Amino acid sequence: MFSFQTIVENFPVLLGSARYTLLISVLGCIEGLILGAVICAAALSNKRWMRRIAALYVSFFRGVPLLIQLLAAYYLLPVIGINVPALAAAVLTVGLCAAAYLSEVLRGSLNAIPQGQAEAAAAIGMAPRDVWIRILLPQALKIGLPAIVNELILLVKASSLVTVVGIVEITRMSQSIAAATYRPLEIYLAAAFIYLVINLVIAQAGRMLERRLTV
Amino acid sequence: MTEIIQRYGPDLLTGFGYTILSWALGTLLGLVLGFMIEIARRFGPAFLRYPIRAYVEFVRGTPFLVQLFVLYYGGPLIGLRLDALPAGILGLTIYGSAYFTEILRAGFDAVPVGQVEAARAIGFRNTTIITRIMVPVMMVSALPALVNFAIILTKETVILSMITVPEIMFQTQTMMSETFAFVAPILILALFFWGFVELISRFGRRLERRFTHYLLDRS
Amino acid sequence: MTSQTAASAHLRNVNKFYGPFQALKDVSLDIPPGKVTCLIGPSGSGKSTLLRCINVLELYDSGEVRIDDQLIGYDSPGGKVMAANRLREMRREIGMVFQQFNLWPHMTALQNVAEGLERVRGLKRPEAQARAREALAKVGLADKEDNHPSHLSGGQQQRVAIARAIAMEPRIMLFDEPTSALDPELVGEVLGVMKQLAAEGMTMVVVTHEMGFAAHVADRVVFMERGEIVATGSPRDVFNNPTDPRLASFLQGYRERNSLDF
């Protein structure tokens, strides 16, 4: 029998663990955006070695599964003498991975900005760095908003993998509850439901933000 | 080092085999299921559209890992008792189908109406129109996205290790826990996937060129 | 190739609505066999809709459309919508050529023509290809059979599209503005093929803006406006003695734009 009772009893605890899911995905996304902007700038640089490094970075972090990246951070960071809490390692890794995808998003958005924008800024004597930060990035963020929101949704789902480094977010919490109650079907469906709601809310918020920005 | 290779080499090879197997089957079956879903949505009765939409939203809105847990640990409660490998492949199939069906939908939408009308005017039956006209025309626009998602699925296969499918990640973790060697195995695993993904991307680009040659090489 | 007898088509009180908009208002028209009927009129007047009701790419809402004496679109007047396989059978008799050619981009010229012979007529590939070659030769494109549509000019693409239609040995052919998407210098080659078909005694219904073609090739010209047939007659009657004021002003406008006499 499907036991709603189990879901109702354990739902508050499960929902509480969602804060780690959100924390990791949101911080990871912010880190990804900042680092992604740097990588994107490198990818568009006129120095060949910078473009090479950017390409290598993107190819590596998109080519290696996040789960492996997380294990690498968990096991390898201590080996090279860096001891960080699991949560920091998780955010760091998720952000590094997101940066690879977001740099491509930003690159695509920058390509969509008319050439004249940068030229107009340069013509009034803006420094290249200011052209980037004041003129190009804000526009790129706006154009890329749907893709960035999409990336955030991917991160919410990907954050389920940080269970392997022992952070008790939704998935890890649902594992413990499932083990304790012997009701895996109900608990995992409840966990899935929470993810679904989070993502639907993010998608809706993204659409609203988009509408406001285009007015 | 040689000792470790002798001891774990066969297991790693087996793991590699399971990785390839589950990826290939998951992608193929996911594509087939996704195609069937899209055909049902497009040509089937209207009442199917709502459940199909719910299915796609659910699969795309929840983590693959949680879907696997529901299937593998929750399945037995509703009489669906699967071993880890079939559960993993079924999971990949379901996961893939939701994404593939959306890609195919966009592809079908991009087929010019006139080309379908021309076929209808000649008297083609619907199945012929789908297989001979719509699918080949659609492939041009949908193939890059399909290949891209097939690549994403290679990386999802490592998540099967979490329900004890003995693929490469699972074997490596077993090895690490027994030998306490971490650095080399993780690096090798990372490099393996990096190479694997690169390989499939190259292959995908060649496939795209094949399908679109009639648009590209102006003779 | 046109061994079969030419068909006639008959429309009786045909109405077609798009939501509240009425595209065809109680249209009745007889298309005689073996003749060329040209439909002219301003854009949005319902010419294309009328044409597409003849092979039921658009299903008319009421009235009757017949090919010879066979009703198409419905099982009986005012009855149930015709079964798909029955409609397919009737469509084999009706060839259609589109404004945008609508060749299939992934097939060569030969494959475009042979595909229908194989899949609809059920011919074996060698025979289908032999007949397709005949059809391509007829439109003067025997040497282009291996080209994909993207490697053909607009005029050549439209001729392949005509070959695709005639290869099916239709008994009536519908042309929906066949030259409107073409550069002016390519119009002639397509009209040439159409004239040749007309000379062979094919029943042709042509929606066109080429008044020259209508004047010289049509047996009958039908002028439509706002979903209604306003005037019909021989080209001489329609172009030289337009009695209806709407037709007269349409022709006047056309002459001013093209500064041409017919």
Side-chain angles (χ1 to χ4, degrees), chain C:
Chain C
M1 198 172 290
T2 43
S3 52
Q4 279 164 305
T5 53
S8 60
H10 310 274
L11 290 83
R12 286 280 163 278
N13 308 107
V14 172
N15 287 290
K16 172 70 190 173
F17 292 85
Y18 296 109
F21 175 72
Q22 187 165 10
L24 292 179
K25 295 177 189 159
D26 221 28
V27 168
S28 294
L29 178 67
D30 288 305
I31 313 271
K35 305 282 188 201
V36 177
T37 305
C38 280
L39 304 180
I40 61 169
S43 48
S45 59
K47 322 179 285 289
S48 288
T49 306
L50 188 156
L51 194 76
R52 292 160 64 87
C53 281
I54 297 177
N55 67 349
V56 197
L57 278 183
E58 305 284 350
L59 183 63
Y60 50 97
D61 295 309
S62 66
E64 297 172 23
V65 177
R66 291 176 189 278
I67 305 298
D68 287 337
D69 54 357
Q70 275 188 306
L71 190 70
I72 185 168
Y74 294 91
D75 280 342
S76 58
K80 279 206 321 194
V81 174
M82 189 176 238
N85 59 347
R86 182 82 191 87
L87 180 59
R88 278 203 304 275
E89 271 170 38
M90 289 197 70
R91 276 180 177 155
R92 293 181 195 182
E93 314 259 279
I94 312 170
M96 183 157 189
V97 175
F98 300 83
Q99 181 178 356
Q100 298 295 340
F101 331 134
N102 295 339
L103 292 181
W104 301 310
H106 56 298
M107 298 179 184
T108 63
L110 185 72
Q111 288 167 336
N112 261 283
V113 180
E115 186 71 11
L117 294 169
E118 270 183 65
R119 304 274 155 178
V120 179
R121 286 255 187 252
L123 299 185
K124 292 266 180 293
R125 178 157 300 173
E127 194 183 351
Q129 297 203 334
R131 287 223 219 163
R133 286 199 179 91
E134 273 178 58
L136 281 174
K138 200 166 169 183
V139 299
L141 290 173
D143 56 330
K144 300 287 184 197
E145 63 171 63
D146 290 328
N147 287 36
H148 279 97
S150 56
H151 301 161
L152 295 170
S153 73
Q156 290 170 334
Q157 288 189 54
Q158 192 60 300
R159 280 147 70 199
V160 173
I162 294 175
R164 176 172 69 180
I166 61 176
M168 300 295 291
E169 302 184 340
R171 297 171 56 227
I172 178 170
M173 293 262 298
L174 313 176
F175 294 84
D176 192 359
E177 302 196 19
T179 57
S180 297
L182 296 177
D183 293 332
E185 71 273 18
L186 301 177
V187 168
E189 60 186 80
V190 172
L191 293 183
V193 170
M194 289 168 65
K195 275 183 203 165
Q196 180 193 336
L197 268 179
E200 287 171 14
M202 173 68 78
T203 309
M204 291 167 62
V205 189
V206 185
V207 171
T208 188
H209 293 298
E210 294 288 333
M211 296 303 154
F213 177 82
H216 293 120
V217 183
D219 296 290
R220 215 147 142 265
V221 178
V222 175
F223 173 68
M224 292 187 71
E225 199 189 63
R226 298 186 186 194
E228 288 175 301
I229 292 178
V230 174
T232 63
S234 69
R236 181 184 296 271
D237 293 342
V238 169
F239 290 119
N240 297 341
N241 308 305
T243 46
D244 185 276
R246 284 172 289 179
L247 172 59
S249 92
F250 172 73
L251 291 174
Q252 181 62 29
Y254 182 82
R255 285 202 180 89
E256 278 165 13
R257 277 194 307 279
N258 296 277
S259 52
L260 270 180
D261 292 313
F262 357 84

Side-chain angles (χ1 to χ4, degrees), chain A residues 88-140:
Chain A
V91 170
L92 181 75
T93 314
V94 167
L96 285 174
C97 182
Y101 290 90
L102 286 169
S103 73
E104 290 290 286
V105 167
L106 290 176
R107 197 156 67 104
S109 307
L110 283 169
N111 280 334
I113 299 173
Q115 187 83 45
Q117 293 287 317
E119 285 172 359
I124 60 165
M126 266 191 173
R129 208 181 64 107
D130 289 333
V131 175
W132 253 94
I133 293 172
R134 307 289 310 165
I135 308 296
L136 297 179
L137 266 185
Q139 296 193 57

Side-chain angles (χ1 to χ4, degrees), chain B residues 115 117 120 132 214 217-218, chain C residues 52 105-106 115 150-151:
Chain B
Q115 287 170 13
E117 279 189 341
R120 209 172 280 146
R132 300 289 302 175
Y214 56 85
D217 58 344
R218 289 205 152 254
Chain C
R52 292 160 64 87
H106 56 298
E115 186 71 11
S150 56
H151 301 161

Side-chain angles (χ1 to χ4, degrees), chain B:
Chain B
M1 190 67 191
T2 43
E3 212 174 291
I4 289 179
I5 290 173
Q6 268 176 354
R7 165 84 179 73
Y8 292 99
D11 288 351
L12 289 178
L13 269 180
T14 312
F16 174 63
Y18 280 121
T19 294
I20 301 281
L21 177 76
S22 42
W23 170 69
L25 275 180
T27 304
L28 190 70
L29 296 175
L31 196 54
V32 170
L33 181 59
F35 185 77
M36 292 188 330
I37 292 172
E38 175 51 22
I39 293 297
R41 173 159 57 185
R42 194 164 283 269
F43 301 100
F47 67 83
L48 280 178
R49 274 171 217 155
Y50 196 76
I52 287 175
R53 209 178 141 196
Y55 171 85
V56 171
E57 287 287 324
F58 178 82
V59 174
R60 301 206 315 162
T62 56
F64 179 51
L65 177 60
V66 175
Q67 291 165 20
L68 280 179
F69 283 170
V70 170
L71 199 63
Y72 186 63
Y73 297 113
L77 271 82
I78 52 165
L80 185 71
R81 218 167 284 276
L82 290 173
D83 285 338
L85 182 65
I89 291 171
L90 180 61
L92 278 171
T93 302
I94 291 171
Y95 182 72
S97 71
Y99 288 86
F100 282 132
T101 202
E102 288 294 290
I103 295 170
L104 292 171
R105 171 158 78 153
F108 271 114
D109 284 346
V111 175
V113 182
Q115 287 170 13
V116 175
E117 279 189 341
R120 209 172 280 146
I122 283 183
F124 283 33
R125 55 183 72 243
N126 272 342
T127 46
T128 313
I129 295 178
I130 294 169
T131 55
R132 300 289 302 175
I133 312 294
M134 294 185 89
V135 169
V137 171
M138 170 187 92
M139 269 307 162
V140 178
S141 57
L143 198 63
L146 292 175
V147 169
N148 188 40
F149 194 74
I151 291 170
I152 290 176
L153 279 182
T154 60
K155 292 182 283 169
E156 304 289 359
T157 58
V158 297
I159 299 177
L160 300 190
S161 66
M162 314 261 292
I163 57 163
T164 71
V165 176
E167 46 68 80
I168 188 95
M169 179 89 190
F170 185 82
Q171 303 287 5
T172 311
Q173 278 181 299
T174 311
M175 185 176 98
M176 290 192 316
S177 65
E178 285 168 14
T179 61
F180 300 105
F182 301 122
V183 183
I186 289 178
L187 283 180
I188 289 169
L189 202 57
L191 289 175
F192 162 73
F193 268 96
W194 195 5
F196 189 38
V197 165
E198 270 301 308
L199 202 73
I200 296 172
S201 317
R202 295 250 162 97
F203 175 73
R205 277 196 289 274
R206 268 178 52 184
L207 204 66
E208 278 166 40
R209 239 171 286 146
R210 245 194 86 123
F211 267 96
T212 56
H213 67 100
Y214 56 85
L215 292 176
L216 301 176
D217 58 344
R218 289 205 152 254
S219 53

